[in-house]
Amino acid sequence: MKREEVNPQVKNALGQFIQSTMKTWNGFITQRPILYEDFNKWLIPKKNITNAGGCLTIDSYENPYLLNAKSVLKAKEIVNAAHYSPMSGMFWHTNNDNEGNRVYYTFSLDKAVFKYADPNTGEIIEDWDDEGWTVRSFDINKHKPFWHCVWTAGRRFSFGFVR
């Protein structure tokens, strides 16, 4: 996993997507809040999980703002446009049913963390979101699973692309 610089054009397009859909997201709350202390007890499963749920994703990636971000990134596909309610998360998973280099743009105004297991060492690493935009990239490979999970104290938006 590595951090990347925020592309202003992508930031602008995704920010417009968030603004244009904000009324929808504001209506969603977590049914059972997840405390950071509980999230921190989650263990990597013994069996592969490709998608762990926990957030609300949109059904169509044909939104012009998302397509604009995809174009600027020269991405092959959009794989995620998700909203996390406050005090929510996504359980450990690998996404290894869709291989490739992933880039994720996340937007957070509260504490949020992306936790992953280094695929080479197995070391568990917590990478806390910056306030505002954070960009991460990592490789998804069936033969070397990239286990990761997410927790957030506040609303968090996540946009994933395969390059």
Side-chain angles (χ1 to χ4, degrees):
M1 196 285 303
K2 69 178 184 176
R3 291 282 195 116
E4 294 190 11
E5 293 292 319
V6 175
N7 179 307
Q9 290 177 284
V10 175
K11 172 184 163 181
N12 183 49
L14 297 177
Q16 288 178 309
F17 173 80
I18 291 169
Q19 286 182 329
S20 71
T21 59
M22 187 58 78
K23 287 181 182 176
T24 301
W25 306 124
N26 281 336
F28 294 97
I29 58 168
T30 304
Q31 295 295 326
R32 295 173 58 186
I34 300 168
L35 301 175
Y36 172 75
E37 293 76 17
D38 295 328
F39 162 78
N40 221 20
K41 295 175 187 173
W42 292 355
L43 301 175
I44 296 175
K46 303 262 188 251
K47 291 170 44 175
N48 185 36
I49 297 175
T50 57
N51 186 341
C55 59
L56 181 68
T57 59
I58 65 167
D59 292 330
S60 171
Y61 297 130
E62 298 302 314
N63 179 288
Y65 299 124
L66 297 179
L67 292 173
N68 184 14
K70 175 186 172 192
S71 175
V72 171
L73 289 168
K74 296 180 175 50
K76 295 176 189 170
E77 66 181 308
I78 302 166
V79 292
N80 193 322
H83 166 267
Y84 293 82
S85 296
M87 302 304 288
S88 70
M90 183 179 288
F91 197 66
W92 286 101
H93 62 288
T94 64
N95 296 119
N96 73 357
D97 57 339
N98 188 2
E99 292 183 297
N101 178 260
R102 298 280 179 101
V103 61
Y104 273 83
Y105 273 70
T106 58
F107 182 76
S108 302
L109 288 177
D110 207 333
K111 292 180 183 177
V113 64
F114 176 81
K115 188 188 294 191
Y116 66 97
D118 184 299
N120 297 312
T121 66
E123 177 187 5
I124 304 297
I125 299 166
E126 286 191 350
D127 186 39
W128 290 85
D129 286 4
D130 295 329
E131 183 176 316
W133 291 98
T134 303
V135 183
R136 297 179 179 92
S137 66
F138 49 88
D139 291 321
I140 299 296
N141 181 314
K142 288 181 184 178
H143 305 291
K144 200 180 259 192
F146 184 76
W147 285 99
H148 55 286
C149 58
V150 173
W151 175 83
T152 184
R155 292 197 186 280
R156 181 182 192 261
F157 296 88
S158 176
F159 304 94
F161 303 87
V162 175
R163 296 191 278 198

